[in-house]
């Protein structure tokens, strides 16, 4: 069944109406007819099975014939604080991270981040990718892509998270598995460095703020690979994958 | 220090000479001079520190001033048997997989693989990506990208591996961590399905051949995300990351 995101506000009793670009998609691309069924997801945790009733030029209406709260979301609330990388690497981090269950992404400006182009455009693009990947992965809650923040400011204010880790290539020590022993923790943040890595000062600043340095093995990982591998590994430690 | 791959055959006693495209790179791009040092890696496990001696039009010569056998390779020999995906997803699987320490990749033809374009060109491209990623990650052994093989034939002949696993979305059961308990095993193969997944028949065939079905969690992963996440998580189980 085809899946669509709808605003939770438009769901009233057992009816809903869909506007916007999904209308054309339902009518002209999928060529659905009244009586056909779709799945709609409200982005905050519930999936509705909907039988289409009318398919108009600007609006599709349907009747809700089933609803279920789904468990595709992880109990772990993982934030990926990704130093903004060059080219389209952030796209990959957000796409794969969303599929793997990341709760939110914070684009981070570090010493070695090279800011290119218009941030507003980038943010809009990243948010679109989060929505698309959310849909594709069957998730019901869209991960947030927050406004960019400076590394030095973010590490000063970590009270939202119970555990913070920072893979740092200079740290040849404990792995994620070694440092994450308490899986009853629910709010975790992982910092991923940019192409040139974190500076020594940044890593020291993070450590003094209570962020735990970890090693991702002895091979040098590109920043997007590091983000995806760390996400998959953390999800595995918390039995979410 | 800049890293170059050299053929093990060209290393004689304490001298070596470099030909081909690396010459122009050393001379015109990096503008290295006699006396400058580079790292050369022989692709089979040894890294050489080399002081450049002459920088000619077609050849660079140098003196080996140090050599060390490096431990960036994993003890685990992981094969990724990837059903050939559409567009450039295989590029990502090979790049990220190489960085994460995969030993070799087998492009697999399954029921739902859509073969597009020229396979010889694709193979050549994938092999170039393996070399580039190997260099970037500091690895010393280039992963092989083998000739494509049919799924039905590969599962018939698995004696090369001590453990074979197949993430299958219909299998809502044990995770990689649940099924991999014996980490003294060294040769592991993981099968990754194409965009449409493995067919029921294929999964049953694999099971009857001793391949263990696993779940990668309750979210739907794109084929490239599944490959990278499974690789990262197998490496984590074997303490290689």
């Amino acid at each position: 069944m085809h899946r669509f995101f709808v605003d939770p506000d438009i769901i009233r009793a057992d009816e809903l109406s869909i506007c916007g670009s999904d209308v054309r998609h339902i009518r002209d691309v999928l060529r659905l007819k009244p009586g056909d069924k779709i799945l709609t997801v409200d982005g905050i945790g519930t999936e509705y099975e909907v039988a289409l009733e009318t398919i108009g030029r600007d609006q599709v209406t349907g009747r809700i014939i089933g609803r279920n709260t789904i468990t595709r979301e992880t109990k772990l609330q993982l934030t990926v604080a990704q130093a903004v990388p060059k080219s389209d690497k952030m796209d990959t981090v957000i796409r794969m991270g969303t599929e793997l269950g990341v709760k939110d992404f914070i684009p981070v400006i570090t010493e070695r981040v090279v800011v290119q182009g218009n941030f507003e455009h980038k943010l809009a693009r990243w948010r679109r990718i989060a929505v698309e990947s959310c849909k594709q992965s069957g998730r019901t809650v869209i991960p947030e892509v927050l406004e960019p923040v400076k590394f030095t400011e973010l590490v000063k204010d970590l009270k939202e998270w119970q555990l913070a880790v920072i893979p740092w290539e200079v740290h040849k020590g404990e792995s994620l598995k070694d440092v994450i022993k308490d899986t009853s923790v629910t709010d975790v943040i992982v910092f991923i460095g940019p192409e040139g890595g974190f500076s020594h000062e940044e890593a020291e600043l993070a450590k003094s703020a209570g962020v735990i340095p970890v090693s991702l093995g002895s091979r040098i990982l590109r920043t997007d690979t590091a983000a995806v591998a760390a996400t998959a590994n953390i999800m595995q430690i918390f039995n979410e994958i």
Side-chain angles (χ1 to χ4, degrees), chain A:
Chain A
M1 236 182 301
H2 297 282
R3 296 168 58 84
F4 296 88
F5 273 100
V6 292
D7 196 307
D9 296 342
I10 70 159
I11 297 160
R12 308 195 190 292
D14 56 354
E15 297 281 330
L16 65 75
S17 64
I18 295 173
C19 307
S21 64
D22 284 341
V23 173
R24 213 181 59 80
H25 191 65
I26 287 172
R27 191 188 57 216
D28 300 337
V29 182
L30 302 173
R31 294 164 189 267
L32 298 180
K33 304 279 173 242
D36 286 343
K37 288 172 196 161
I38 61 170
L39 286 177
T40 63
V41 169
D42 66 4
I44 54 170
T46 308
E47 192 176 69
Y48 300 86
E49 193 176 343
V50 173
L52 298 181
E53 295 197 319
T54 66
I55 297 173
R57 203 184 129 75
D58 302 313
Q59 186 177 293
V60 166
T61 65
R63 197 165 34 83
I64 294 171
I65 54 177
R67 73 188 73 202
N68 47 78
T69 309
I70 9 183
T71 54
R72 285 222 168 104
E73 292 301 320
T74 58
K75 191 167 156 248
L76 175 68
Q77 307 280 295
L78 178 62
T79 299
V80 173
Q82 169 74 52
V84 180
K86 288 184 204 162
S87 71
D88 60 357
K89 295 190 196 91
M90 190 75 163
D91 296 8
T92 309
V93 172
I94 291 177
R95 184 175 64 70
M96 291 191 172
T98 298
E99 294 174 46
L100 291 167
V102 168
K103 182 195 156 221
D104 49 24
F105 300 89
I106 309 181
V108 179
I109 310 298
T110 73
E111 210 177 300
R112 296 182 190 153
V113 162
V114 182
V115 183
Q116 297 165 316
N118 179 320
F119 242 113
E120 283 310 305
H121 289 170
K122 281 183 201 280
L123 255 184
R125 175 182 169 80
W126 298 334
R127 286 171 177 160
R128 277 198 307 275
I129 292 172
V131 173
E132 279 311 307
S133 307
C134 189
K135 216 188 269 193
Q136 182 161 33
S137 65
R139 284 184 63 177
T140 45
V141 182
I142 301 171
E144 276 194 85
V145 182
L146 304 175
E147 294 287 329
V149 58
K150 280 193 183 155
F151 179 82
T152 47
E153 278 165 26
L154 182 57
V155 291
K156 263 189 234 152
D157 188 18
L158 295 172
K159 57 185 178 304
E160 200 179 313
W161 297 277
Q162 297 161 277
L163 177 68
V165 290
I166 185 167
W168 190 36
E169 62 277 21
V170 180
H171 178 80
K172 296 287 170 238
E174 293 176 305
S175 67
L176 281 165
K177 212 163 73 168
D178 293 331
V179 307
I180 307 178
K181 291 297 184 194
D182 177 8
T183 54
S184 70
V185 155
T186 53
D187 295 271
V188 176
I189 184 169
V190 57
F191 287 89
I192 304 292
E195 280 86 354
F198 290 110
S199 71
H200 195 84
E201 291 69 29
E202 285 170 334
E204 289 299 330
L205 182 68
K207 266 164 73 180
S208 70
V211 185
I212 303 170
V214 294
S215 160
L216 289 180
S218 53
R219 285 154 299 288
I220 302 156
L221 305 182
R222 241 176 63 165
T223 177
D224 50 351
T225 310
V228 176
T231 299
N233 281 175
I234 292 170
M235 290 295 173
Q236 177 165 255
I237 292 168
F238 284 87
N239 301 310
E240 300 281 14
I241 192 168

